[in-house]
């Protein structure tokens, strides 16, 4: 038998390669019969043609060469004992029985030492972990295991919502791999049993010789392993060789299983990241659809408020905004002003409860020079400053009774009188007021004028508390998170599922203002990209019970069911295993977990 003795002086490795095919390709690409891992070589650098006992080596591209017995050539007849140098590799044509049959050193499929295996696994993990695009991850995964195992053909089927999807292929036309063809007996068995299969000699295997993949792809050897993370089936990895010289062995399958297990974890993480990115995109779209100016909300109560806002904004009607502290009453006032014909004019806001009573009148209406001690010059009040625009009177329920009388005159006559002045000044303003108090109770107790109430309350906008807007909480929180993460350079980008549940169930006594405060603090203090209830400072008692993942629920059910079966069989492990149709080791494993 003729063979090539291949020597890699750089890695000090040697290997004998039998020449069974009439045409043998050599190059750095994975599809060659002899893969020479050297970047200086062409993908397919040369071909070795055998006719009887006569061998001829020729380059594929005229721009490349090789060296035969020290002489550079593009084509050369070879005889036993001739040495060919291609890149860093030395190949000697010999006759007899090869001492070390197999692929070239450094080439895919060459047996790996333990150190090489660990190094390859580390490189493999690093390459996959660096990629976030699922399509590229699947391609890299398949390319890596093909290079490691020396497989000539392969494909990867990914599971998406229970459906099979051809995610990547190698040396196989995609037209050959429609879903009807990949759904053959080998793939079906792996999906059903969730266990790897190796068919070392597929052409003579009684069970799988007629498998559609073996027949259609003309394979002589097959390995197929599941990509499984815990109890979740992510896909199937299928590798094949169409040359009898490179049949898969059990050690190849063991190596592939290790890499497939590591890949499953990384694919699972990529899927979670992909779902998170999709969720964030959907959330941004939802934010855009659910926002009205600077106000976010899609709950029925907020939709009603938006409807009133759009109807009233173009008019000059006085609007009374009712709602608890922190519900966003000033935002509603600003939006009413923005959408009105006065939107280009001044918007003046004043908190009636934050200014001492003896100063409030001069703040609202201004004063004349000399009106009181310290009045060294005339001062324009808020109403005058808002002329042509909108004035927002926040916490109107805190206004003293004597000022309520003067405000009523302003609303009726549209004139103001500065403190210490006898001259009236006409004004053109729109008045929007807000309160968190029940003005009907204030009127009944004599603390608020009924006639002023009707002047202010030509239209009412009721704002619901945040706890009544469970569907809006996460939308508002994400908006605030994006805002403050960008402002403070934080890496926080989203909320965990438990955090979202906690936000929906929390009472929020301070409403949106409290939510904003908690998120701002968590963005500054947390070093996580995904915020938790602890980051927001929401106590455990304030959370709802998080919904378990399907895998956790399935595992919990199995645990309880096996315990019942053990009780029914007097804790006879063997009998329980037989009745449940599982391996006894499964029962022992669950018993250990029960002990934990």
């Amino acid at each position: 038998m003729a063979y090539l003795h291949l020597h890699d002086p750089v890695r000090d490795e040697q290997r004998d390669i039998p020449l069974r095919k009439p045409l043998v390709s050599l190059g750095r690409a994975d599809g060659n019969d002899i893969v020479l891992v050297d970047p200086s070589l062409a993908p397919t650098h040369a071909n070795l043609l055998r006719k009887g006992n006569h061998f001829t080596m020729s380059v594929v591209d005229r721009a490349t060469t090789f060296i035969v017995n020290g002489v550079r050539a593009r084509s050369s007849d070879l005889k036993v004992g001739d040495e060919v140098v291609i890149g860093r590799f030395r190949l000697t044509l010999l006759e007899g029985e090869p001492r070390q049959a197999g692929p070239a050193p450094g080439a895919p499929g060459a047996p790996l030492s333990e150190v090489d295996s660990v190094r390859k696994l580390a490189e493999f993990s690093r390459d996959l972990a660096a990629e976030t695009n699922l399509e590229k991850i699947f391609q890299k995964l398949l390319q890596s295991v093909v290079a490691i195992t020396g497989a000539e053909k392969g494909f990867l089927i990914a599971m998406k919502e229970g459906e099979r999807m051809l995610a990547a292929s190698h040396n196989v036309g995609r037209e050959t791999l429609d879903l009807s063809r990949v759904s053959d007996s080998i793939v079906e068995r792996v999906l059903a049993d969730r266990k790897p299969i190796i068919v070392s000699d597929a052409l003579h295997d009684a069970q799988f010789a007629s498998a559609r993949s073996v027949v259609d792809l003309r394979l002589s050897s097959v390995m197929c392993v599941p990509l499984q993370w815990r109890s979740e089936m992510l896909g199937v990895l299928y590798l094949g060789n169409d040359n009898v010289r490179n049949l898969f062995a059990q050690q190849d399958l063991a190596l592939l299983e290790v890499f497939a297990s590591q890949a499953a974890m990384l694919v699972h993480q990529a899927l979670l990241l992909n779902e998170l990115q999709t969720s964030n995109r959907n959330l941004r779209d939802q934010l855009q659809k659910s926002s009205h100016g600077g106000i976010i909300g899609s709950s029925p109560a907020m939709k009603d408020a938006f409807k009133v806002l759009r109807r009233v904004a173009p008019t000059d009607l006085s609007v009374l905004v009712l709602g608890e502290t922190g519900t966003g009453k000033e935002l509603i006032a600003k939006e009413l002003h923005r959408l009105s014909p006065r939107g280009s004019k001044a918007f003046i806001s004043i908190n009636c409860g934050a200014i001492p009573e003896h100063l409030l009148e001069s703040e609202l209406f201004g004063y004349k020079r000399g009106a009181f001690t310290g009045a060294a010059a005339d001062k324009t009040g808020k109403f005058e400053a808002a002329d042509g625009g909108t004035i927002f009177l926040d916490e109107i329920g805190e206004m003293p009774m004597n000022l309520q009388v003067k405000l009523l005159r302003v609303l009726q006559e549209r004139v103001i009188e500065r403190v210490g002045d006898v001259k009236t000044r006409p004004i053109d303003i729109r008045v929007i007021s807000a309160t968190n108090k029940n003005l009907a109770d204030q009127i009944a107790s004599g603390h608020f004028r009924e006639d002023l109430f009707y002047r202010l309350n030509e239209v009412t906008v009721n704002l619901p508390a945040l706890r009544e807007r469970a569907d809006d909480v996460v939308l508002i929180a994400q908006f605030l998170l994006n805002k403050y993460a960008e402002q403070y350079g934080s890496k926080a980008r989203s909320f965990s599922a438990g955090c979202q549940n906690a936000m929906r169930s929390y009472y929020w006594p301070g409403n949106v203002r409290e939510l904003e405060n908690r998120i701002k603090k968590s963005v500054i203090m947390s070093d996580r990209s995904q915020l938790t209830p602890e980051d927001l400072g929401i106590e455990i008692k304030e959370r709802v019970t998080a919904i378990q993942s399907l895998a956790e629920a399935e595992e919990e059910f199995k645990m309880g069911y096996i315990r019942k079966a053990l009780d029914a069989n007097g804790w006879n492990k063997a009998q329980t295993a037989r009745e449940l149709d599982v391996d006894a080791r499964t029962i022992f494993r669950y018993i250990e977990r029960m002990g934990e």
Side-chain angles (χ1 to χ4, degrees), residues 361-378:
E361 182 179 2
S362 60
E363 282 294 319
L364 289 173
F365 306 122
Y367 55 80
K368 185 175 175 57
R369 177 183 177 185
F372 50 83
T373 303
D378 290 352

Side-chain angles (χ1 to χ4, degrees), residues 226-294:
L227 285 176
Q228 182 176 346
W229 172 249
R230 294 182 178 171
S231 60
E232 184 179 358
M233 194 69 170
L234 305 177
V236 171
L237 191 58
Y238 187 110
L239 301 178
N241 279 325
D242 57 7
N243 194 316
V244 293
R245 72 171 178 81
N246 200 12
L247 300 179
F248 292 128
Q250 285 295 332
Q251 64 182 26
D252 298 314
L253 181 64
L255 183 65
L256 181 60
E257 284 187 84
V258 171
F259 279 78
S261 297
Q262 182 71 4
M265 179 183 70
L266 296 169
V267 169
H268 176 73
Q269 291 175 345
L271 285 168
L272 290 180
L273 178 61
N274 186 262
E275 288 176 9
L276 181 60
Q277 290 171 337
T278 302
S279 176
N280 285 341
R281 282 196 298 271
N282 293 339
L283 191 56
R284 283 194 293 270
D285 293 342
Q286 197 174 350
L287 269 173
Q288 191 172 4
K289 293 175 183 177
S290 305
S291 61
H292 200 295

